[in-house]
Amino acid sequence: MSKRILIIEDDQAIAEIERDYLQLSQFEVVLANDGAEGLKQALTGTFDLILLDVMLPTMDGFEICKKLRETLDIPILMVTAKQEDIDKIRGLGLGADDYIEKPFSPSILVARVKANLAQYDRLKKGQTDNTLAEIQVGNLRIQPGSHRVFVRNQEISLKNKEYELLLFLVRNGDLVFDKETLYERIWGLDAIGDVATVPVHINRLREKIEDDPSNPHYIETVWGAGYRFKL
C-alpha cells in the first residue's frame, strides 16, 4: 500500500514539482496551499509523512508543526528558504524530524522522505517487540518494547529522533560518537543531511533527562571528539 504524503506549500510550482517526483516514487500525494487548510487536512486525513513549508499564508509552518505534535506522531519534514540556524533549531524544537533548505534537488527531497519514513517504520517495528529488555541506568529507565522513558519514575515524552538517539547512546554506553556518525546512524541520510541537527537533539534530550542540563550527568560532551552516554 502506497505511503501518503501531505505537502503544505503555497508556491504552486514548487508543490507540483515535489508532488510529481514523489508520485514517480510510488507515493500518494495530497497538496494544501495555505497553512490553515494544511493543518485541517493533516488533522482530518490519514498521512504517513508531512512536508511542511515554513513561510505560509494564514498560519506559518512553526505554528502548524506545534499544533500537529499535540496529536500526531508521524514524520514532519520542514522546508525552508532561510539559511539561519535559528529557524532550523526552532523547527526541530517544535517537533520536526528533519528539514531541507530551498533550493533543493527533487531527488534529494525524495531521498530524505524515504529515509525518514524508513526510520519511522523501524522504530514502530521495535515498539511492537515486547521481548526487548528494560534498560535501567541510575534514575533513567527505558522500555524499548513500548517506547517509554522514565526519569525518577516519572514518564517523559520524547520525539521519535530523541528516543532513537537516546536508545542508541545508552546501548553503546561509554563509547564516543562524533556528530557525523550519530547523524548517519540515527537519521540514516549520510552525506545529504545537516549534522547541526545532532547537537540540537542532544540539548533537547539533556533538558528532559538531566537534573542540571548545563552540567550533564548522562550525556557528556567530549570536546573535539563528540558525545558519549556515561554508564
Side-chain angles (χ1 to χ4, degrees), residues 134 136 138-141 149-156:
E134 181 175 284
Q136 177 91 42
N139 295 315
L140 179 66
R141 181 160 50 94
V149 179
F150 301 82
V151 177
R152 299 185 186 279
N153 294 320
Q154 295 294 315
E155 186 169 5
I156 62 171

Side-chain angles (χ1 to χ4, degrees), residues 47-113:
F47 298 98
D48 298 287
L49 180 143
I50 295 174
L51 198 59
L52 175 61
D53 191 40
V54 169
M55 303 301 293
L56 292 164
T58 69
M59 183 182 298
D60 68 31
F62 297 124
E63 186 176 356
I64 294 172
C65 184
K66 182 179 179 180
K67 290 183 178 296
L68 291 179
R69 276 296 174 240
E70 294 175 359
T71 56
L72 294 183
D73 180 26
I74 60 173
I76 298 175
L77 176 57
M78 299 197 77
V79 180
T80 175
K82 296 184 176 182
Q83 301 296 316
E84 292 86 350
D85 286 341
I86 189 64
D87 291 309
K88 303 172 188 176
I89 293 171
R90 183 181 177 191
L92 293 168
L94 290 172
D97 294 278
D98 199 5
Y99 57 85
I100 185 169
E101 293 179 355
K102 298 176 184 177
F104 51 80
S105 163
S107 60
I108 294 296
L109 173 67
V110 172
R112 298 282 277 274
V113 167

